[in-house]
Amino acid sequence: MYYYLVGIKGTGMSALAAMLYDCGHNVVGSDVSLNYGFEQELTKRNIQILEFSSSNITGDHIYIIGNAYNDDNEEVKSIKTNKFKFFYYHEFISKLEGFHIAVSGTHGKTTTTNFIKQLLKDEPIAYIIGDGTGGGCTNYKYLIYEACEYQDHFLVYNPDILVITNIDYDHPDYFKSIDEVRKS
């Protein structure tokens, strides 16, 4: 399978790219030239990173769009205009195979996800961690990932196990109160 990740340098997107690569898929992506500090996993795997350009969008990939990008991005605009197959990051993860173990909560998601990854290290796993680390193997059984509550993106997930580390008022640009966080 050929995957193209729009916004590949983000923490979740770089981890997803590394996981897909380790699972045997062809992966390429694009982003701005700025270095966010999460490119190590991509560089280690020689995953090509292009600068945003509508000329990158050719229709021969499945496109995964990072949640930070909307229709103002020239690549997103081209994907949608040409009606190419695409998913947003959180939608794509929700469709992946395996026994899903999702970690949500305001604090401690990355640490807890890493801990679960270590507990299952002798099992066939794939993982997407919010510090930009991702990995996996072909025919993995368990998919371990952070389920961030921002903009309610995590509501599309249907995990087999959900770990909620805590609930606290966060993301005030989206949630207006702690009650909205609890409701989500």
Side-chain angles (χ1 to χ4, degrees):
M1 196 65 70
Y2 290 85
Y3 293 105
Y4 184 102
L5 283 71
V6 177
I8 196 168
K9 291 182 180 180
T11 58
M13 291 290 277
S14 60
L16 175 60
M19 187 274 293
L20 289 170
Y21 179 89
D22 287 357
C23 290
H25 301 289
N26 293 304
V27 180
V28 65
S30 60
D31 214 311
V32 296
S33 59
L34 183 67
N35 183 334
Y36 293 117
F38 301 106
E39 291 85 9
Q40 317 79 299
E41 297 287 317
L42 305 174
T43 304
K44 188 167 44 175
R45 292 167 175 85
N46 292 316
I47 295 173
Q48 185 179 15
I49 304 170
L50 307 170
E51 288 203 33
F52 286 137
S53 172
S54 58
S55 65
N56 296 335
I57 308 305
T58 59
D60 54 352
H61 296 87
I62 293 176
Y63 294 97
I64 304 167
I65 302 170
N67 293 329
Y69 297 97
N70 59 31
D71 295 350
D72 294 336
N73 176 280
E74 62 184 298
E75 290 188 345
V76 174
K77 195 178 299 181
S78 181
I79 291 165
K80 290 183 175 184
T81 299
N82 290 297
K83 296 182 168 86
F84 295 141
K85 185 173 185 168
F86 76 91
F87 299 93
Y88 282 99
Y89 169 82
H90 59 288
E91 295 168 333
F92 183 78
I93 291 172
S94 75
K95 305 222 180 290
L96 289 170
E97 298 291 321
F99 185 93
H100 284 227
I101 302 172
V103 179
S104 191
T106 311
H107 311 287
K109 290 186 294 289
T110 299
T111 302
T112 304
T113 308
N114 264 309
F115 181 66
I116 294 168
K117 179 189 93 169
Q118 289 303 313
L119 285 173
L120 296 175
K121 70 180 182 205
D122 295 329
E123 299 291 332
I125 63 171
Y127 54 92
I128 304 163
I129 302 177
D131 62 0
T133 17
C137 61
T138 57
N139 301 315
Y140 64 86
K141 180 177 178 182
Y142 299 100
L143 176 64
I144 308 156
Y145 55 93
E146 290 189 31
C148 183
E149 69 283 357
Y150 185 63
Q151 295 183 348
D152 284 335
H153 289 151
F154 74 145
L155 295 179
V156 302
Y157 302 138
N158 189 23
D160 297 285
I161 295 175
L162 172 61
V163 177
I164 302 174
T165 58
N166 53 61
I167 299 173
D168 196 2
Y169 183 51
D170 197 12
H171 304 296
D173 58 321
Y174 181 75
F175 295 110
K176 302 302 175 217
S177 68
I178 184 66
D179 292 331
E180 283 188 15
V181 175
R182 283 189 190 110
K183 183 180 175 191
S184 290

